Amino acid sequence: MDVDGNASTTTDSHAAQQQQQQPQQPQEPAVKRPRVDMLSDVPVPFDLVLMDVQMPGWSGLETTQHIRAFERDHQLPPVPIIGVSGAVDARDQAAGRESGMSGFVIKPIDVRILRSILSDVVRGQRSSVGNDRMGWF
């Protein structure tokens, strides 16, 4: 019996003691996937998306493909999606274009380039900006 008068067995206390001594295995954090279906709940459409290309779960390329499919399925106009990455070579640019991205920008983002992108979106056109730091597809 324990101090409170409850019956206990040595096996129960031994099992509890062993459980306390077992080192806890670290749990892998659950990767949350973007919920593209939530776009239908947005009261005001997005004017521009800056999409990180390297994300846990879905990559920026996969997320862009899902956004484009959602837009097609709901007859929505495509929002400009700019892929953001630490480095973009010709292969990365082709992958971004194929996924449905509208352009790319290299991190760290230069404020002047970001202003130019925003200005293009507001005017509804694409400027001639295109260099090794940014470009429209």
Side-chain angles (χ1 to χ4, degrees), residues 85-97 104 106 131-132 137:
S85 182
V88 178
D89 61 18
R91 201 174 47 220
D92 296 327
Q93 288 181 27
R97 188 178 307 107
F104 71 93
I106 303 290
N131 54 39
D132 62 337
F137 297 139

Side-chain angles (χ1 to χ4, degrees), residues 3-48:
V3 221
D4 297 324
N6 297 319
S8 70
T9 64
T10 348
T11 311
D12 290 341
S13 62
H14 182 67
Q17 189 178 28
Q18 276 187 330
Q19 190 176 18
Q20 288 176 350
Q21 292 175 357
Q22 294 287 332
Q24 295 295 320
Q25 294 296 323
Q27 297 286 329
E28 283 293 318
V31 176
K32 295 191 179 203
R33 296 204 179 254
R35 293 212 24 231
V36 178
D37 62 319
M38 291 175 60
L39 291 174
S40 59
D41 298 334
V42 177
V44 178
F46 293 98
D47 294 314
L48 172 71

Side-chain angles (χ1 to χ4, degrees), residues 93-116:
Q93 288 181 27
R97 188 178 307 107
E98 288 169 18
S99 75
M101 288 184 174
S102 311
F104 71 93
V105 65
I106 303 290
K107 293 189 266 186
I109 300 174
D110 182 315
V111 174
R112 292 169 297 189
I113 291 174
L114 184 57
R115 260 193 223 118
S116 177

